[in-house]
Amino acid sequence: MKRIQEYVDRMNDELCDAQHYAEEYVWYRVNGETQLAARRKEAASDELKHALWIHDVAVSEIEKLEQVYNPPVEMREKWDESHKRYVEKAAWIKTMLSM
Protein backbone atom coordinates (compact mmCIF):
# COMPACT_ATOMS: atom_id res chain seq x y z
CA MET A 1 0.00 0.00 0.00
CA LYS A 2 1.05 3.53 -0.63
CA ARG A 3 0.86 4.51 3.04
CA ILE A 4 3.28 1.76 4.07
CA GLN A 5 5.67 2.80 1.29
CA GLU A 6 5.61 6.33 2.67
CA TYR A 7 6.62 5.00 6.08
CA VAL A 8 9.43 3.00 4.50
CA ASP A 9 10.66 6.08 2.64
CA ARG A 10 10.58 8.18 5.81
CA MET A 11 12.42 5.49 7.79
CA ASN A 12 15.10 5.39 5.11
CA ASP A 13 15.45 9.17 5.16
CA GLU A 14 15.94 9.16 8.92
CA LEU A 15 18.46 6.33 8.71
CA CYS A 16 20.41 8.10 5.97
CA ASP A 17 20.61 11.21 8.14
CA ALA A 18 21.62 9.12 11.15
CA GLN A 19 24.36 7.45 9.12
CA HIS A 20 25.62 10.82 7.90
CA TYR A 21 25.89 12.12 11.46
CA ALA A 22 27.41 8.86 12.71
CA GLU A 23 30.11 8.99 10.05
CA GLU A 24 30.87 12.59 11.01
CA TYR A 25 30.96 11.53 14.65
CA VAL A 26 33.61 8.92 13.89
CA TRP A 27 35.59 11.42 11.80
CA TYR A 28 35.57 14.10 14.49
CA ARG A 29 36.33 11.60 17.21
CA VAL A 30 39.33 10.23 15.30
CA ASN A 31 40.58 13.78 14.86
CA GLY A 32 40.21 14.64 18.55
CA GLU A 33 37.34 17.09 18.08
CA THR A 34 35.39 15.86 21.10
CA GLN A 35 32.79 18.63 21.21
CA LEU A 36 31.92 18.29 17.51
CA ALA A 37 31.94 14.51 17.85
CA ALA A 38 29.51 14.67 20.77
CA ARG A 39 27.09 16.88 18.82
CA ARG A 40 27.18 14.56 15.81
CA LYS A 41 26.61 11.55 18.04
CA GLU A 42 23.60 13.26 19.60
CA ALA A 43 22.22 14.16 16.17
CA ALA A 44 22.69 10.59 14.94
CA SER A 45 20.94 9.23 18.03
CA ASP A 46 18.03 11.62 17.49
CA GLU A 47 17.66 10.50 13.88
CA LEU A 48 17.73 6.86 15.01
CA LYS A 49 14.94 7.64 17.47
CA HIS A 50 12.88 9.17 14.65
CA ALA A 51 13.47 6.12 12.45
CA LEU A 52 12.44 3.80 15.30
CA TRP A 53 9.27 5.78 15.91
CA ILE A 54 8.31 5.62 12.23
CA HIS A 55 9.18 1.91 12.18
CA ASP A 56 6.92 1.27 15.17
CA VAL A 57 4.06 3.17 13.53
CA ALA A 58 4.51 1.20 10.30
CA VAL A 59 4.49 -2.12 12.17
CA SER A 60 1.33 -1.09 14.01
CA GLU A 61 -0.36 -0.03 10.75
CA ILE A 62 0.57 -3.32 9.09
CA GLU A 63 -0.83 -5.31 12.02
CA LYS A 64 -4.10 -3.35 11.85
CA LEU A 65 -4.26 -3.79 8.10
CA GLU A 66 -3.73 -7.54 8.34
CA GLN A 67 -6.74 -7.83 10.65
CA VAL A 68 -9.11 -6.75 7.86
CA TYR A 69 -7.15 -7.36 4.66
CA ASN A 70 -4.86 -10.06 3.40
CA PRO A 71 -2.08 -8.07 1.74
CA PRO A 72 -0.62 -9.39 -1.50
CA VAL A 73 2.54 -11.47 -1.25
CA GLU A 74 4.46 -8.80 -3.17
CA MET A 75 3.56 -6.15 -0.60
CA ARG A 76 4.61 -8.39 2.28
CA GLU A 77 7.90 -9.22 0.55
CA LYS A 78 8.64 -5.52 0.01
CA TRP A 79 7.97 -4.79 3.67
CA ASP A 80 10.08 -7.75 4.83
CA GLU A 81 13.00 -6.60 2.67
CA SER A 82 12.65 -2.99 3.85
CA HIS A 83 12.46 -4.14 7.45
CA LYS A 84 15.58 -6.27 7.04
CA ARG A 85 17.52 -3.30 5.58
CA TYR A 86 16.25 -1.09 8.42
CA VAL A 87 17.45 -3.52 11.10
CA GLU A 88 20.86 -3.98 9.46
CA LYS A 89 21.47 -0.28 8.87
CA ALA A 90 20.30 0.72 12.35
CA ALA A 91 22.62 -1.90 13.86
CA TRP A 92 25.57 -0.59 11.84
CA ILE A 93 24.87 2.99 12.90
CA LYS A 94 24.67 1.93 16.54
CA THR A 95 28.01 0.17 16.11
CA MET A 96 29.59 3.36 14.76
CA LEU A 97 28.17 5.36 17.66
CA SER A 98 29.63 2.90 20.18
CA MET A 99 33.19 3.51 18.92
Side-chain angles (χ1 to χ4, degrees):
M1 296 198 63
K2 190 172 186 173
R3 184 176 181 103
I4 303 303
Q5 184 61 50
E6 289 173 2
Y7 288 131
V8 169
D9 292 342
R10 290 176 57 205
M11 282 183 345
N12 289 337
D13 288 345
E14 297 293 340
L15 285 177
C16 284
D17 290 345
Q19 182 175 349
H20 171 78
Y21 290 125
E23 288 171 354
E24 286 190 343
Y25 159 73
V26 171
W27 173 257
Y28 286 123
R29 179 154 178 181
V30 165
N31 289 297
E33 299 283 342
T34 56
Q35 187 174 5
L36 291 172
R39 288 185 184 235
R40 295 315 190 274
K41 184 175 185 176
E42 182 181 344
S45 296
D46 287 346
E47 296 299 331
L48 275 176
K49 288 177 195 173
H50 300 158
L52 177 61
W53 178 80
I54 295 166
H55 172 265
D56 290 347
V57 170
V59 168
S60 176
E61 292 282 328
I62 289 169
E63 289 172 354
K64 289 177 190 175
L65 180 64
E66 288 177 337
Q67 291 176 1
V68 296
Y69 173 72
N70 190 14
V73 173
E74 179 182 289
M75 180 183 149
R76 189 64 196 183
E77 288 173 351
K78 284 182 180 180
W79 167 252
D80 290 344
E81 182 60 32
S82 297
H83 185 259
K84 180 182 172 188
R85 282 192 314 265
Y86 164 82
V87 170
E88 290 171 354
K89 194 166 190 174
W92 172 241
I93 293 166
K94 289 176 184 178
T95 299
M96 282 193 286
L97 295 177
S98 69
M99 295 179 180

XYZ file of all heavy atoms in Angstrom:
839
model
N 0.827 -1.179 0.000
C 0.000 0.000 0.000
C 0.873 1.245 0.000
O 1.997 1.229 0.483
C -0.919 0.009 1.210
C -1.929 -1.117 1.221
S -3.312 -0.847 2.340
C -4.093 0.578 1.680
N 0.313 2.283 -0.506
C 1.051 3.531 -0.630
C 1.452 4.092 0.735
O 2.562 4.604 0.898
C 0.201 4.541 -1.392
C 0.949 5.773 -1.782
C 0.118 6.657 -2.689
C 0.957 7.806 -3.163
N 0.295 8.609 -4.163
N 0.576 3.974 1.702
C 0.859 4.508 3.036
C 2.074 3.808 3.657
O 2.931 4.461 4.254
C -0.373 4.340 3.908
C -0.244 4.940 5.271
C -1.571 4.790 6.020
N -1.502 5.378 7.312
C -2.024 6.551 7.633
N -2.683 7.245 6.737
N -1.918 7.022 8.847
N 2.150 2.500 3.520
C 3.282 1.755 4.069
C 4.570 2.166 3.358
O 5.612 2.341 3.995
C 3.055 0.230 3.957
C 1.761 -0.195 4.667
C 4.255 -0.537 4.492
C 1.660 0.177 6.125
N 4.498 2.361 2.047
C 5.675 2.799 1.287
C 6.157 4.159 1.774
O 7.364 4.406 1.850
C 5.377 2.839 -0.211
C 6.595 3.187 -1.046
C 7.732 2.191 -0.900
O 7.515 0.992 -1.019
N 8.931 2.678 -0.632
N 5.230 5.023 2.132
C 5.614 6.332 2.666
C 6.365 6.182 3.987
O 7.349 6.879 4.227
C 4.380 7.216 2.849
C 3.787 7.670 1.530
C 2.461 8.410 1.685
O 1.998 8.623 2.842
O 1.887 8.774 0.653
N 5.904 5.263 4.833
C 6.623 5.002 6.080
C 8.025 4.479 5.800
O 8.992 4.899 6.432
C 5.873 3.995 6.958
C 4.619 4.542 7.604
C 3.433 3.834 7.538
C 4.620 5.742 8.303
C 2.276 4.315 8.140
C 3.470 6.237 8.901
C 2.301 5.509 8.819
O 1.165 5.992 9.416
N 8.129 3.560 4.861
C 9.435 3.001 4.498
C 10.359 4.108 4.002
O 11.522 4.188 4.414
C 9.277 1.886 3.436
C 10.629 1.493 2.852
C 8.578 0.673 4.037
N 9.850 4.976 3.149
C 10.661 6.084 2.637
C 11.118 7.007 3.762
O 12.275 7.438 3.794
C 9.885 6.879 1.588
C 9.631 6.095 0.312
O 10.320 5.070 0.080
O 8.729 6.502 -0.460
N 10.228 7.299 4.690
C 10.581 8.177 5.807
C 11.602 7.520 6.733
O 12.534 8.182 7.221
C 9.323 8.584 6.572
C 8.455 9.533 5.743
C 7.146 9.884 6.403
N 7.353 10.466 7.723
C 6.432 10.429 8.688
N 5.285 9.836 8.498
N 6.680 10.984 9.859
N 11.436 6.211 6.975
C 12.424 5.490 7.786
C 13.793 5.567 7.135
O 14.796 5.821 7.806
C 12.044 4.006 7.929
C 10.977 3.709 8.921
S 10.572 1.947 9.148
C 11.282 1.083 7.792
N 13.828 5.343 5.828
C 15.098 5.394 5.109
C 15.728 6.772 5.179
O 16.947 6.893 5.341
C 14.901 4.958 3.658
C 14.629 3.480 3.522
O 14.976 2.686 4.389
N 13.982 3.101 2.432
N 14.922 7.807 5.052
C 15.448 9.171 5.158
C 16.092 9.404 6.523
O 17.193 9.964 6.619
C 14.339 10.205 4.939
C 13.876 10.288 3.503
O 14.583 9.775 2.602
O 12.794 10.881 3.274
N 15.407 8.982 7.560
C 15.939 9.162 8.916
C 17.225 8.365 9.105
O 18.192 8.855 9.702
C 14.902 8.747 9.964
C 13.630 9.572 9.961
C 13.802 11.017 10.388
O 14.811 11.349 11.049
O 12.908 11.828 10.083
N 17.244 7.144 8.588
C 18.458 6.329 8.711
C 19.626 6.917 7.927
O 20.770 6.868 8.384
C 18.189 4.892 8.260
C 17.401 4.022 9.225
C 17.145 2.652 8.609
C 18.104 3.888 10.560
N 19.332 7.463 6.757
C 20.408 8.099 5.974
C 20.993 9.284 6.727
O 22.217 9.462 6.770
C 19.878 8.534 4.606
S 19.659 7.164 3.458
N 20.125 10.085 7.339
C 20.607 11.215 8.138
C 21.406 10.720 9.341
O 22.463 11.272 9.663
C 19.440 12.089 8.605
C 18.794 12.857 7.473
O 19.401 12.961 6.383
O 17.666 13.361 7.668
N 20.908 9.669 9.992
C 21.621 9.117 11.149
C 22.999 8.616 10.735
O 23.987 8.840 11.437
C 20.803 7.990 11.773
N 23.070 7.955 9.592
C 24.355 7.450 9.124
C 25.312 8.604 8.827
O 26.496 8.545 9.162
C 24.179 6.579 7.889
C 25.485 5.994 7.404
C 25.317 5.019 6.255
O 24.214 4.610 5.926
N 26.418 4.655 5.636
N 24.794 9.641 8.203
C 25.619 10.816 7.901
C 26.235 11.379 9.188
O 27.451 11.605 9.272
C 24.769 11.876 7.197
C 25.448 13.184 7.043
N 26.406 13.415 6.078
C 25.333 14.336 7.750
C 26.837 14.662 6.195
N 26.202 15.239 7.201
N 25.398 11.579 10.195
C 25.895 12.124 11.456
C 26.835 11.147 12.157
O 27.822 11.561 12.781
C 24.743 12.505 12.384
C 23.962 13.709 11.910
C 22.589 13.645 11.729
C 24.601 14.915 11.649
C 21.872 14.743 11.302
C 23.894 16.029 11.220
C 22.527 15.936 11.048
O 21.818 17.031 10.624
N 26.546 9.860 12.076
C 27.409 8.860 12.712
C 28.793 8.847 12.061
O 29.810 8.740 12.751
C 26.760 7.478 12.630
N 28.818 8.942 10.734
C 30.113 8.992 10.045
C 30.887 10.237 10.426
O 32.108 10.180 10.629
C 29.897 8.923 8.539
C 29.453 7.543 8.079
C 29.012 7.490 6.630
O 28.942 8.560 5.972
O 28.723 6.385 6.151
N 30.195 11.373 10.561
C 30.868 12.594 11.012
C 31.348 12.440 12.447
O 32.432 12.912 12.795
C 29.936 13.800 10.891
C 29.743 14.257 9.467
C 29.015 15.581 9.369
O 28.371 16.011 10.355
O 29.097 16.197 8.292
N 30.557 11.791 13.272
C 30.961 11.526 14.655
C 32.293 10.781 14.690
O 33.223 11.179 15.406
C 29.876 10.725 15.383
C 30.391 9.996 16.595
C 30.715 10.694 17.757
C 30.577 8.621 16.579
C 31.217 10.026 18.868
C 31.070 7.944 17.681
C 31.394 8.657 18.826
O 31.895 7.996 19.917
N 32.368 9.713 13.914
C 33.605 8.923 13.887
C 34.765 9.786 13.397
O 35.856 9.771 13.982
C 33.433 7.656 13.014
C 34.764 6.948 12.808
C 32.406 6.711 13.635
N 34.538 10.558 12.356
C 35.590 11.420 11.803
C 36.099 12.415 12.854
O 37.301 12.542 13.068
C 35.060 12.162 10.582
C 36.019 13.184 10.059
C 35.957 14.536 10.226
C 37.203 12.932 9.297
N 37.031 15.144 9.622
C 37.810 14.179 9.047
C 37.799 11.786 8.822
C 38.988 14.298 8.325
C 38.975 11.914 8.106
C 39.557 13.159 7.869
N 35.163 13.110 13.497
C 35.568 14.097 14.488
C 36.229 13.437 15.705
O 37.182 13.967 16.271
C 34.385 14.959 14.935
C 33.978 15.970 13.896
C 32.686 16.000 13.395
C 34.889 16.899 13.399
C 32.308 16.934 12.433
C 34.528 17.825 12.440
C 33.238 17.844 11.966
O 32.879 18.766 11.016
N 35.746 12.301 16.069
C 36.335 11.598 17.207
C 37.769 11.179 16.902
O 38.672 11.340 17.727
C 35.491 10.391 17.564
C 36.107 9.647 18.704
C 35.168 8.876 19.493
N 36.002 8.214 20.501
C 35.580 7.414 21.387
N 34.307 7.160 21.437
N 36.389 6.850 22.237
N 37.989 10.638 15.708
C 39.332 10.229 15.298
C 40.277 11.421 15.307
O 41.454 11.295 15.653
C 39.282 9.568 13.900
C 40.665 9.454 13.281
C 38.620 8.202 13.978
N 39.758 12.583 14.939
C 40.584 13.785 14.861
C 40.629 14.573 16.165
O 41.130 15.703 16.184
C 40.106 14.662 13.711
C 40.451 14.046 12.378
O 41.623 13.875 12.058
N 39.444 13.673 11.609
N 40.095 14.010 17.238
C 40.212 14.640 18.545
C 39.281 15.808 18.783
O 39.461 16.539 19.757
N 38.306 15.990 17.930
C 37.336 17.086 18.083
C 36.161 16.587 18.924
O 35.077 16.287 18.426
C 36.842 17.550 16.713
C 37.918 18.085 15.812
C 38.343 19.487 16.196
O 37.606 20.174 16.931
O 39.425 19.895 15.758
N 36.371 16.511 20.230
C 35.392 15.861 21.101
C 34.042 16.576 21.153
O 33.003 15.915 21.200
C 35.953 15.703 22.521
O 36.360 16.986 23.010
C 37.120 14.745 22.535
N 34.054 17.897 21.139
C 32.785 18.629 21.209
C 31.968 18.418 19.925
O 30.767 18.154 19.988
C 33.024 20.113 21.440
C 31.740 20.881 21.684
C 31.993 22.332 22.053
O 33.121 22.802 22.048
N 30.913 23.035 22.367
N 32.624 18.528 18.779
C 31.924 18.294 17.513
C 31.470 16.845 17.402
O 30.372 16.561 16.914
C 32.815 18.669 16.330
C 33.113 20.154 16.153
C 34.163 20.362 15.077
C 31.838 20.914 15.810
N 32.305 15.929 17.881
C 31.938 14.509 17.853
C 30.692 14.267 18.702
O 29.768 13.565 18.279
C 33.098 13.654 18.346
N 30.649 14.865 19.873
C 29.508 14.675 20.769
C 28.213 15.196 20.142
O 27.163 14.557 20.249
C 29.763 15.366 22.100
N 28.297 16.324 19.472
C 27.090 16.879 18.819
C 26.617 15.989 17.679
O 25.422 15.809 17.479
C 27.365 18.288 18.324
C 27.469 19.268 19.471
C 27.632 20.676 18.968
N 27.822 21.551 20.101
C 27.078 22.612 20.334
N 26.114 22.936 19.513
N 27.315 23.363 21.379
N 27.563 15.452 16.922
C 27.179 14.563 15.806
C 26.586 13.268 16.338
O 25.641 12.737 15.783
C 28.376 14.262 14.902
C 28.951 15.454 14.156
C 27.869 16.328 13.534
N 28.389 17.328 12.636
C 28.826 18.516 12.988
N 28.855 18.876 14.247
N 29.242 19.387 12.070
N 27.141 12.775 17.430
C 26.608 11.554 18.042
C 25.175 11.785 18.526
O 24.295 10.942 18.335
C 27.499 11.110 19.199
C 27.077 9.804 19.814
C 28.072 9.354 20.869
C 27.705 7.977 21.395
N 28.711 7.485 22.358
N 24.949 12.917 19.137
C 23.600 13.262 19.600
C 22.629 13.376 18.426
O 21.508 12.867 18.492
C 23.645 14.580 20.378
C 22.310 14.998 20.942
C 22.380 16.316 21.692
O 23.489 16.769 22.050
O 21.308 16.900 21.928
N 23.067 14.027 17.355
C 22.215 14.164 16.171
C 21.896 12.803 15.565
O 20.752 12.520 15.189
C 22.886 15.075 15.135
N 22.903 11.931 15.481
C 22.685 10.593 14.937
C 21.705 9.813 15.812
O 20.807 9.129 15.302
C 24.012 9.839 14.828
N 21.848 9.926 17.111
C 20.935 9.235 18.032
C 19.512 9.743 17.880
O 18.555 8.956 17.908
C 21.404 9.418 19.473
O 22.654 8.809 19.665
N 19.369 11.048 17.704
C 18.029 11.617 17.492
C 17.401 11.077 16.210
O 16.216 10.726 16.185
C 18.088 13.143 17.432
C 18.335 13.784 18.785
O 18.193 13.087 19.820
O 18.683 14.981 18.805
N 18.190 11.013 15.154
C 17.665 10.500 13.877
C 17.287 9.021 14.005
O 16.284 8.583 13.439
C 18.680 10.699 12.757
C 18.997 12.147 12.443
C 17.797 12.963 11.980
O 16.868 12.389 11.383
O 17.784 14.181 12.221
N 18.071 8.262 14.759
C 17.731 6.862 15.006
C 16.408 6.746 15.762
O 15.590 5.871 15.472
C 18.827 6.157 15.793
C 19.983 5.596 14.998
C 21.038 5.016 15.942
C 19.532 4.542 14.023
N 16.200 7.634 16.731
C 14.936 7.635 17.474
C 13.767 7.909 16.535
O 12.712 7.277 16.643
C 14.959 8.685 18.583
C 15.844 8.335 19.740
C 15.859 9.481 20.739
C 16.999 9.335 21.709
N 17.143 10.505 22.583
N 13.946 8.859 15.621
C 12.881 9.169 14.655
C 12.594 7.952 13.778
O 11.430 7.613 13.527
C 13.279 10.345 13.762
C 13.551 11.601 14.506
N 14.317 12.615 13.978
C 13.189 12.032 15.731
C 14.410 13.597 14.843
N 13.733 13.264 15.919
N 13.645 7.296 13.303
C 13.468 6.118 12.452
C 12.741 5.017 13.217
O 11.849 4.361 12.665
C 14.827 5.612 11.956
N 13.095 4.825 14.480
C 12.443 3.802 15.296
C 10.963 4.133 15.479
O 10.108 3.247 15.393
C 13.132 3.677 16.654
C 12.494 2.691 17.630
C 12.490 1.273 17.057
C 13.204 2.731 18.971
N 10.665 5.379 15.736
C 9.271 5.782 15.911
C 8.469 5.498 14.645
O 7.370 4.922 14.703
C 9.188 7.270 16.267
C 7.781 7.728 16.402
C 6.961 7.558 17.487
C 7.003 8.395 15.415
N 5.724 8.090 17.226
C 5.725 8.615 15.963
C 7.257 8.836 14.125
C 4.715 9.247 15.251
C 6.238 9.463 13.427
C 4.988 9.674 13.985
N 8.999 5.872 13.508
C 8.311 5.625 12.232
C 8.178 4.120 12.007
O 7.124 3.642 11.568
C 9.047 6.307 11.068
C 9.001 7.830 11.254
C 8.437 5.908 9.735
C 9.962 8.590 10.370
N 9.216 3.381 12.315
C 9.176 1.912 12.183
C 8.046 1.336 13.034
O 7.268 0.503 12.570
C 10.525 1.327 12.606
C 10.530 -0.151 12.702
N 10.304 -0.802 13.901
C 10.717 -1.111 11.777
C 10.354 -2.101 13.697
N 10.609 -2.317 12.413
N 7.958 1.783 14.273
C 6.916 1.275 15.167
C 5.518 1.604 14.646
O 4.609 0.774 14.735
C 7.103 1.829 16.581
C 8.328 1.259 17.275
O 8.907 0.266 16.779
O 8.725 1.830 18.314
N 5.351 2.791 14.104
C 4.062 3.171 13.525
C 3.739 2.282 12.326
O 2.618 1.794 12.183
C 4.035 4.665 13.122
C 2.799 5.003 12.312
C 4.126 5.551 14.360
N 4.729 2.038 11.483
C 4.513 1.198 10.304
C 4.123 -0.217 10.714
O 3.185 -0.797 10.146
C 5.772 1.173 9.437
N 4.810 -0.773 11.698
C 4.488 -2.122 12.172
C 3.057 -2.167 12.704
O 2.293 -3.084 12.404
C 5.501 -2.593 13.245
C 5.025 -3.855 13.949
C 6.867 -2.808 12.611
N 2.690 -1.164 13.463
C 1.328 -1.094 14.005
C 0.289 -1.010 12.885
O -0.737 -1.699 12.926
C 1.210 0.116 14.936
O -0.106 0.254 15.392
N 0.565 -0.172 11.888
C -0.360 -0.029 10.752
C -0.497 -1.346 9.990
O -1.593 -1.717 9.578
C 0.122 1.068 9.812
C 0.055 2.461 10.383
C -1.352 3.045 10.376
O -2.131 2.724 9.463
O -1.643 3.815 11.305
N 0.606 -2.038 9.805
C 0.574 -3.319 9.089
C -0.251 -4.334 9.878
O -1.064 -5.063 9.303
C 2.002 -3.832 8.820
C 2.662 -2.954 7.756
C 1.989 -5.290 8.383
C 4.144 -3.183 7.590
N -0.060 -4.374 11.182
C -0.834 -5.306 12.015
C -2.327 -5.004 11.933
O -3.141 -5.923 11.824
C -0.342 -5.246 13.460
C 1.026 -5.864 13.648
C 1.601 -5.641 15.029
O 0.992 -4.898 15.850
O 2.685 -6.189 15.296
N -2.689 -3.728 11.973
C -4.101 -3.351 11.852
C -4.643 -3.739 10.482
O -5.757 -4.249 10.366
C -4.271 -1.844 12.059
C -4.058 -1.375 13.458
C -4.180 0.134 13.516
C -3.737 0.688 14.839
N -3.759 2.165 14.848
N -3.863 -3.483 9.467
C -4.264 -3.790 8.100
C -4.510 -5.283 7.923
O -5.493 -5.703 7.314
C -3.197 -3.304 7.122
C -3.440 -3.533 5.643
C -4.654 -2.742 5.184
C -2.215 -3.129 4.842
N -3.623 -6.087 8.487
C -3.732 -7.536 8.337
C -4.950 -8.114 9.048
O -5.363 -9.232 8.745
C -2.453 -8.216 8.818
C -1.292 -7.987 7.870
C 0.015 -8.590 8.342
O 0.166 -8.818 9.577
O 0.887 -8.812 7.490
N -5.541 -7.360 9.970
C -6.742 -7.825 10.649
C -7.974 -7.775 9.740
O -8.927 -8.510 9.961
C -6.999 -7.002 11.905
C -5.980 -7.240 12.985
C -6.191 -6.360 14.194
O -7.124 -5.564 14.255
N -5.318 -6.498 15.184
N -7.937 -6.902 8.735
C -9.111 -6.751 7.860
C -8.808 -7.034 6.394
O -9.718 -7.062 5.573
C -9.707 -5.330 7.977
C -10.231 -5.088 9.378
C -8.700 -4.265 7.589
N -7.540 -7.233 6.062
C -7.150 -7.357 4.665
C -5.953 -8.285 4.571
O -5.023 -8.180 5.360
C -6.797 -5.962 4.134
C -6.212 -5.899 2.756
C -6.980 -6.137 1.635
C -4.866 -5.577 2.584
C -6.439 -6.057 0.362
C -4.317 -5.481 1.319
C -5.110 -5.733 0.215
O -4.571 -5.652 -1.041
N -6.003 -9.177 3.626
C -4.864 -10.062 3.400
C -3.991 -9.428 2.321
O -4.310 -9.513 1.135
C -5.347 -11.450 2.966
C -4.236 -12.454 2.948
O -3.166 -12.217 3.492
N -4.483 -13.585 2.316
N -2.895 -8.783 2.724
C -2.079 -8.073 1.737
C -1.467 -9.039 0.722
O -1.176 -10.187 1.046
C -0.985 -7.407 2.559
C -1.074 -7.941 3.916
C -2.347 -8.693 4.063
N -1.253 -8.547 -0.493
C -0.620 -9.391 -1.505
C 0.786 -9.808 -1.085
O 1.464 -9.100 -0.338
C -0.548 -8.478 -2.737
C -1.428 -7.323 -2.449
C -1.580 -7.221 -0.981
N 1.209 -10.934 -1.580
C 2.539 -11.468 -1.253
C 3.621 -10.453 -1.613
O 4.572 -10.246 -0.852
C 2.775 -12.806 -1.993
C 4.201 -13.294 -1.804
C 1.776 -13.842 -1.525
N 3.464 -9.787 -2.730
C 4.459 -8.799 -3.171
C 4.616 -7.679 -2.146
O 5.726 -7.254 -1.836
C 4.036 -8.212 -4.520
C 4.986 -7.164 -5.038
C 4.500 -6.570 -6.353
O 4.540 -7.271 -7.365
O 4.072 -5.399 -6.332
N 3.499 -7.211 -1.598
C 3.556 -6.145 -0.601
C 4.281 -6.630 0.647
O 5.130 -5.931 1.205
C 2.145 -5.692 -0.232
C 2.109 -4.600 0.793
S 0.402 -4.212 1.202
C 0.595 -3.727 2.897
N 3.975 -7.836 1.079
C 4.606 -8.391 2.276
C 6.109 -8.573 2.050
O 6.924 -8.285 2.936
C 3.950 -9.730 2.628
C 4.362 -10.272 3.943
C 3.909 -9.348 5.035
N 4.608 -9.655 6.266
C 4.386 -9.057 7.391
N 3.485 -8.112 7.471
N 5.057 -9.370 8.443
N 6.481 -9.044 0.861
C 7.899 -9.219 0.547
C 8.640 -7.895 0.548
O 9.770 -7.804 1.047
C 8.055 -9.912 -0.809
C 7.672 -11.374 -0.785
C 7.659 -12.024 -2.160
O 7.778 -11.299 -3.182
O 7.532 -13.257 -2.215
N 8.013 -6.853 0.004
C 8.644 -5.523 0.008
C 8.859 -5.037 1.432
O 9.909 -4.493 1.769
C 7.789 -4.518 -0.767
C 7.885 -4.663 -2.256
C 7.056 -3.598 -2.942
C 7.131 -3.719 -4.445
N 6.339 -2.690 -5.122
N 7.829 -5.220 2.282
C 7.975 -4.791 3.673
C 9.073 -5.591 4.359
O 9.907 -5.030 5.067
C 6.670 -4.925 4.452
C 6.921 -4.785 5.916
C 6.884 -5.758 6.860
C 7.320 -3.590 6.607
N 7.227 -5.257 8.094
C 7.491 -3.919 7.965
C 7.546 -2.271 6.211
C 7.877 -2.985 8.913
C 7.938 -1.346 7.170
C 8.102 -1.705 8.503
N 9.068 -6.912 4.185
C 10.076 -7.746 4.831
C 11.488 -7.331 4.425
O 12.385 -7.264 5.272
C 9.844 -9.226 4.506
C 8.600 -9.788 5.181
O 8.077 -9.156 6.127
O 8.132 -10.863 4.746
N 11.688 -7.036 3.145
C 13.004 -6.600 2.668
C 13.364 -5.229 3.252
O 14.507 -5.012 3.694
C 13.032 -6.549 1.141
C 14.373 -6.151 0.568
C 15.520 -7.073 0.940
O 15.304 -8.290 1.108
O 16.654 -6.577 1.071
N 12.414 -4.322 3.275
C 12.652 -2.991 3.848
C 12.970 -3.099 5.335
O 13.860 -2.411 5.847
C 11.436 -2.094 3.651
O 11.202 -1.885 2.290
N 12.248 -3.949 6.019
C 12.461 -4.142 7.452
C 13.853 -4.720 7.713
O 14.563 -4.272 8.622
C 11.382 -5.067 8.020
C 11.473 -5.207 9.497
N 12.044 -6.296 10.096
C 11.080 -4.382 10.491
C 12.000 -6.138 11.399
N 11.420 -4.988 11.670
N 14.253 -5.672 6.898
C 15.584 -6.272 7.036
C 16.667 -5.207 6.853
O 17.620 -5.135 7.636
C 15.760 -7.387 6.008
C 17.097 -8.065 6.057
C 17.220 -9.125 4.985
C 18.643 -9.662 4.926
N 18.855 -10.540 3.788
N 16.542 -4.371 5.818
C 17.522 -3.301 5.582
C 17.543 -2.326 6.756
O 18.605 -1.856 7.172
C 17.219 -2.565 4.282
C 17.650 -3.306 3.038
C 17.608 -2.433 1.799
N 16.395 -1.652 1.659
C 15.328 -2.003 0.943
N 15.330 -3.134 0.283
N 14.275 -1.218 0.875
N 16.348 -1.996 7.284
C 16.247 -1.088 8.424
C 17.037 -1.643 9.608
O 17.843 -0.937 10.216
C 14.781 -0.876 8.802
C 14.603 -0.283 10.175
C 14.723 1.088 10.375
C 14.348 -1.085 11.281
C 14.584 1.639 11.640
C 14.206 -0.545 12.543
C 14.325 0.808 12.717
O 14.199 1.353 13.974
N 16.792 -2.901 9.945
C 17.454 -3.521 11.096
C 18.970 -3.531 10.905
O 19.719 -3.178 11.823
C 16.905 -4.950 11.326
C 17.733 -5.707 12.349
C 15.441 -4.885 11.749
N 19.422 -3.910 9.717
C 20.859 -3.976 9.457
C 21.511 -2.599 9.524
O 22.575 -2.432 10.123
C 21.111 -4.615 8.091
C 20.791 -6.095 8.053
C 20.834 -6.679 6.647
O 21.008 -5.928 5.664
O 20.684 -7.915 6.539
N 20.883 -1.619 8.894
C 21.466 -0.281 8.873
C 21.458 0.346 10.264
O 22.439 0.976 10.674
C 20.715 0.612 7.878
C 21.446 1.894 7.556
C 20.844 2.561 6.342
C 21.715 3.702 5.881
N 21.244 4.287 4.618
N 20.373 0.175 10.994
C 20.302 0.720 12.352
C 21.381 0.085 13.229
O 22.026 0.778 14.022
C 18.916 0.498 12.948
N 21.582 -1.212 13.070
C 22.620 -1.898 13.856
C 24.013 -1.351 13.520
O 24.839 -1.141 14.414
C 22.564 -3.400 13.610
N 24.268 -1.121 12.237
C 25.571 -0.591 11.836
C 25.783 0.813 12.409
O 26.863 1.142 12.912
C 25.701 -0.574 10.323
C 26.939 0.129 9.855
C 27.014 1.232 9.074
C 28.293 -0.212 10.185
N 28.334 1.597 8.881
C 29.138 0.723 9.554
C 28.879 -1.215 10.940
C 30.519 0.694 9.668
C 30.267 -1.241 11.063
C 31.061 -0.303 10.418
N 24.763 1.629 12.362
C 24.868 2.993 12.895
C 25.141 2.939 14.403
O 25.999 3.670 14.923
C 23.607 3.811 12.571
C 23.507 4.040 11.064
C 23.593 5.133 13.333
C 22.165 4.541 10.570
N 24.436 2.073 15.102
C 24.665 1.927 16.544
C 26.094 1.470 16.832
O 26.709 1.905 17.803
C 23.664 0.948 17.149
C 22.259 1.513 17.203
C 21.266 0.477 17.720
C 19.862 1.017 17.666
N 18.860 0.011 18.111
N 26.626 0.612 15.966
C 28.013 0.169 16.112
C 28.967 1.344 15.960
O 29.903 1.510 16.753
C 28.340 -0.937 15.084
O 27.480 -2.047 15.312
C 29.797 -1.359 15.185
N 28.724 2.174 14.957
C 29.590 3.357 14.763
C 29.519 4.268 15.976
O 30.541 4.813 16.408
C 29.168 4.132 13.509
C 29.640 3.515 12.230
S 29.460 4.621 10.802
C 27.709 4.575 10.547
N 28.327 4.445 16.526
C 28.166 5.355 17.662
C 28.773 4.795 18.951
O 29.012 5.549 19.889
C 26.684 5.679 17.878
C 26.029 6.462 16.749
C 24.559 6.677 17.029
C 26.731 7.787 16.507
N 29.028 3.497 18.988
C 29.634 2.905 20.183
C 31.148 2.943 20.142
O 31.806 2.521 21.088
C 29.146 1.458 20.354
O 29.684 0.637 19.341
N 31.733 3.446 19.062
C 33.191 3.512 18.916
C 33.763 4.607 19.780
O 33.187 5.586 20.051
C 33.571 3.755 17.456
C 33.185 2.625 16.569
S 33.653 3.017 14.858
C 33.096 1.541 14.045
